[in-house]
Amino acid sequence: MSDPGSHVPLSIDRIRQACAFGLIGSCLHYVESTDSTNTLAHQLAREGTPNGTVVLAETQLKGRGRLGRSWVSPPYRNLSLSVVLRPDIASSEAPQIGLVAGLAVAETVREWGPHAMIKWPNDVLIDGRKLAGILTEMEAAEGRVQFVVIGIGINLNSESEDFPPELHHRLTTLCAASGGLVDRDAFTARLLSHLEQRYEMLLRDGFAAIRPLWEALSCLTGRQVRIEGGTQTCEGVVTGLAADGTLRLRSLEGQDIRIVAGDVTVVNGYEESSQQSAASSQEKKAEG
Ligand code: BTN
């Protein structure tokens, strides 16, 4: 077990020194505590904060996950950040930015050693266990994006006691997977660099340039999955990403299906990883 005293606050100076900021991170906010970096980023975006603004927090009081779930993370151990982007794109294309963020996270993790994979739409896993989640939110008008907020949560140095025992086999941390405490400043700087590089690629060359890079890291291709979204559930084998970033499935009846959103479970595969479930069971524990 690592020494809890080694969990030091992020140093914005060290991050600035390590990262040649172009767009992403040129405006950097660091707060000790906030409800949610996504909420704060939304507020800043509405007030006109520049394209590429990054919000980092040590603690989130109401961290949010996908599909209305919560996200919990102990202070000084992991990474919780949001990025405000102002691309001139149709709102239907905004989810592609979330896919780009998943790619950037997986590429950064791989620099630390582990073979991170992406689970559509943008969870990042190591050996089938969830390491990171991404929440993409936007404001749009007349079918065009006003701004997108990309919220990224990554388990870097948390310890197994930080999660309930029933979730130990579903979650992982980069510290556990790479065998040593992660320098959070260095990781943040590399992540922002990867994100900038892939985001520029998306704007310059389109999603067609991102797609093969993303597919090379996908852990779902060829697997049988169940997709739950709203009132509908469907099952099939993943055949890849469509040109617009939706997930392609071959249904059990042999039909081609495109999935726009939903919760993916691998059938007979690794267990679904969900830090959001961790959050809700922690809440249940606290209640009683
Ligand atoms: C998921 O896997 O459901 C997505 C989790 C996203 C968590 C991050 S932490 C930083 C940002 N602020 C939030 O409230 N959520 C995202």
Side-chain angles (χ1 to χ4, degrees), residues 36-38 60 63-66 71 81 130 133-134 151-153 276:
S36 152
T37 55
N38 266 34
Q60 296 187 109
R64 293 188 276 117
R66 288 178 62 237
W71 180 268
L81 66 85
K130 183 160 173 168
I134 294 170
I152 305 176
Q276 304 90 338

Side-chain angles (χ1 to χ4, degrees), residues 159-197:
E159 295 168 27
S160 51
E161 303 92 86
D162 295 327
F163 305 112
E166 66 271 21
L167 290 166
H168 289 177
H169 66 292
R170 294 185 178 184
L171 304 177
T172 192
T173 69
L174 187 51
C175 174
S178 66
L181 276 182
V182 177
D183 178 336
R184 295 192 305 144
D185 299 330
F187 187 94
T188 305
R190 290 303 298 148
L191 173 62
L192 297 180
S193 300
H194 277 284
L195 191 55
E196 168 128 359
Q197 188 195 353

Side-chain angles (χ1 to χ4, degrees), residues 86-164:
R86 300 181 183 278
D88 181 16
I89 58 172
S91 47
S92 59
E93 293 173 318
Q96 293 173 2
I97 300 178
L99 297 173
V100 160
L103 175 63
V105 171
E107 289 178 329
T108 310
V109 169
R110 282 172 169 243
E111 287 184 1
W112 264 254
H115 281 229
M117 305 293 284
I118 314 170
K119 179 180 166 228
W120 187 91
N122 38 38
D123 282 354
V124 175
L125 314 184
I126 297 173
D127 294 333
R129 297 178 178 194
K130 183 160 173 168
L131 176 84
I134 294 170
L135 177 65
T136 307
E137 298 175 317
M138 70 163 162
E139 282 197 14
E142 293 168 5
R144 305 295 295 177
V145 166
Q146 302 292 294
F147 62 82
V148 176
V149 171
I150 304 287
I152 305 176
I154 311 178
N155 297 329
L156 293 183
N157 291 328
S158 46
E159 295 168 27
S160 51
E161 303 92 86
D162 295 327
F163 305 112

Side-chain angles (χ1 to χ4, degrees), residues 34 36-49 55 84 86 139 147 149:
T34 186
S36 152
T37 55
N38 266 34
T39 306
L40 183 51
H42 266 273
Q43 187 187 321
L44 292 168
R46 282 190 208 107
E47 290 165 0
T49 200
V55 180
V84 177
R86 300 181 183 278
E139 282 197 14
F147 62 82
V149 171

Side-chain angles (χ1 to χ4, degrees), residues 126-275:
I126 297 173
D127 294 333
R129 297 178 178 194
K130 183 160 173 168
L131 176 84
I134 294 170
L135 177 65
T136 307
E137 298 175 317
M138 70 163 162
E139 282 197 14
E142 293 168 5
R144 305 295 295 177
V145 166
Q146 302 292 294
F147 62 82
V148 176
V149 171
I150 304 287
I152 305 176
I154 311 178
N155 297 329
L156 293 183
N157 291 328
S158 46
E159 295 168 27
S160 51
E161 303 92 86
D162 295 327
F163 305 112
E166 66 271 21
L167 290 166
H168 289 177
H169 66 292
R170 294 185 178 184
L171 304 177
T172 192
T173 69
L174 187 51
C175 174
S178 66
L181 276 182
V182 177
D183 178 336
R184 295 192 305 144
D185 299 330
F187 187 94
T188 305
R190 290 303 298 148
L191 173 62
L192 297 180
S193 300
H194 277 284
L195 191 55
E196 168 128 359
Q197 188 195 353
R198 294 310 181 199
Y199 179 63
E200 277 180 355
M201 182 185 259
L202 175 73
L203 296 185
R204 190 183 58 237
D205 306 324
F207 191 69
I210 298 292
R211 189 176 162 199
L213 302 173
W214 195 99
E215 285 201 312
L217 300 188
S218 169
C219 64
L220 292 182
T221 307
R223 286 180 182 265
Q224 188 171 336
V225 298
R226 186 176 318 113
I227 317 268
E228 285 163 86
T231 52
Q232 288 195 324
T233 300
C234 66
E235 204 165 309
V237 174
V238 175
T239 53
L241 270 190
D244 60 357
T246 52
L247 189 70
R248 294 176 54 197
L249 287 194
R250 170 78 38 83
S251 77
L252 301 180
E253 296 77 33
Q255 288 173 317
D256 267 326
I257 310 177
R258 301 289 157 87
I259 306 295
V260 176
D263 218 11
V264 182
T265 306
V266 176
V267 179
N268 301 326
Y270 54 81
E271 291 242 349
E272 170 74 357
S273 303
S274 166
Q275 182 158 355

